[in-house]
Every structure is written in C-alpha cells, then in structure tokens.
Amino acid sequence: MTTIKQFQVTFDCAEPERVARFWCEVLGYVVPPPPQGFDTWDDYNGTLPPEKRGAWFACGDPSGVGPRLYFQRVPEGRTVKNRVHLDVRVGTGLVGEERLATLKAECERLIALGATCVQVLVADDENESCIAMQDIEGNEFCLD
C-alpha cells in the first residue's frame, strides 16, 4: 500500500515575504517562528549575505493539515499562464445566488489586500460560479 506524502506548494516571485504574507491573509495561514537563536525573521535575514537576504519565505496551516507554502525569489517575472493554480474553496456547498454572493464578498476582501479580479464566471448548466483572480504578483488563482 502506498503511503500518502506531504507536499508543499512553491511560488516563484520577486518579493517572497510580501507574497507569503498575502497568502497568509487569504488562507488563514501563519508564518512559522524564526530559526532558533533569532527573535525575528529580520534578525535572521540580517546574518545572511546581502544576495541571500529575503530570498525565500514560507507559511503554513496552523492546524498542520494543509500544505506548506514556500515562496522563492527568482529574477524573472511571470510571462505566461500558470500551469497549476490554487482554488480557494470559499463557496463549498453553496449554490446559485448565495454562492455567487459569498464569492463576490471574498473577492472584494482580497482586492483590498492587493489581488486583482480577472473574471467572474457565473453558473451555467454544467458548472457553478467561480471567480478567476491574480495575487499581488500576478499568479492566477480561483475562488471556488
């Protein structure tokens, strides 16, 4: 029998800490404590060579159930559509106008945090409503 493996989701980005803190707000995730011997992440970063400072950041589900999110600085910007994206499940179990209202309310909350609404997809005969969005660096995700 195969064992289930833990995994993390890695984001390439320009500003790892900024993007990580955005996703903490979206998902209710938390930033782990700094490495042992450091009071803050700034203290830890201050010990690194200049080119390594702020090169990565991570956050995780405080309950330990969801995957860890890891953010790494890369020199290039995003140029094409994501091949993988997160679906943030805020409308689970809801249908019709109630679902759409819940999705739109969450969309407005995330826009205030710096996200962009790309497209509101209203329910049809096959699919329920969802909203396509981008995070603060343009990575696509959906409110589902």
Side-chain angles (χ1 to χ4, degrees), residues 76-92:
E76 70 278 357
R78 189 182 71 79
T79 57
V80 296
K81 184 178 183 330
N82 297 11
R83 296 283 310 264
V84 174
H85 68 268
L86 301 182
D87 284 343
V88 180
R89 310 292 312 272
V90 297
T92 303

Side-chain angles (χ1 to χ4, degrees), residues 36-140:
Q36 188 172 2
F38 297 94
D39 292 330
T40 67
W41 280 101
D42 286 339
D43 291 344
Y44 169 75
N45 271 315
T47 67
L48 300 174
E51 68 277 5
K52 301 271 187 195
R53 292 179 188 155
W56 65 272
F57 212 78
C59 61
D61 178 350
S63 72
V65 175
R68 177 180 190 243
L69 301 182
Y70 181 80
F71 304 84
Q72 62 187 6
R73 185 174 57 222
V74 296
E76 70 278 357
R78 189 182 71 79
T79 57
V80 296
K81 184 178 183 330
N82 297 11
R83 296 283 310 264
V84 174
H85 68 268
L86 301 182
D87 284 343
V88 180
R89 310 292 312 272
V90 297
T92 303
L94 302 176
V95 296
E97 290 302 317
E98 183 182 18
R99 178 184 175 89
L100 188 57
T102 298
L103 296 175
K104 285 182 175 181
E106 183 67 359
C107 179
E108 290 304 315
R109 183 181 83 84
L110 300 182
I111 287 171
L113 295 173
T116 303
C117 179
V118 175
Q119 184 178 17
V120 176
L121 300 162
V122 179
D124 58 26
D125 291 336
E126 294 180 33
N127 300 298
E128 265 301 336
S129 298
C130 67
I131 299 178
M133 300 192 73
Q134 292 179 336
D135 74 9
I136 57 177
E137 286 200 3
N139 298 301
E140 292 115 359

